[in-house]
Amino acid sequence: MNVGMLWFDGDVRCDIPARIARAAEYYRTKYGQRPTLCFVNPAMAGKELPAEVEGLLVRTSASVLRDHLWLGVDDGEACAPQKRG
């Protein structure tokens, strides 16, 4: 993922999955598609960072500031043909 949305969420009352879900909902509303990948700072990960939240892959990256989430579409999926039904 080279391009994405950087989201600040300093609400420490909520757990990481809830914060990711909130950011993903905003992303869907703003860009009209679901994000597929989310990066968080390793310090936010704790011991129980889920590998996935609501179908969104979650990874850590020291490049992401603490209390920020970087969401977007995985580059491998960006060029994949869309399924139509």
Side-chain angles (χ1 to χ4, degrees), residues 25-83:
E25 180 58 33
Y26 179 84
Y27 186 101
R28 280 190 292 272
T29 301
K30 182 170 177 107
Y31 299 108
Q33 66 177 357
R34 293 184 51 164
T36 61
L37 184 59
C38 177
F39 287 98
V40 300
N41 184 285
M44 293 173 59
K47 294 179 181 177
E48 298 182 23
L49 182 70
E52 196 173 296
V53 173
E54 297 181 9
L56 180 67
L57 296 175
V58 181
R59 303 290 182 259
T60 59
S61 173
S63 299
V64 178
L65 297 171
R66 189 179 188 122
D67 293 327
H68 286 75
L69 308 167
W70 185 27
L71 295 96
V73 176
D74 184 29
D75 292 337
E77 295 181 21
C79 297
Q82 297 286 327
K83 291 185 180 180

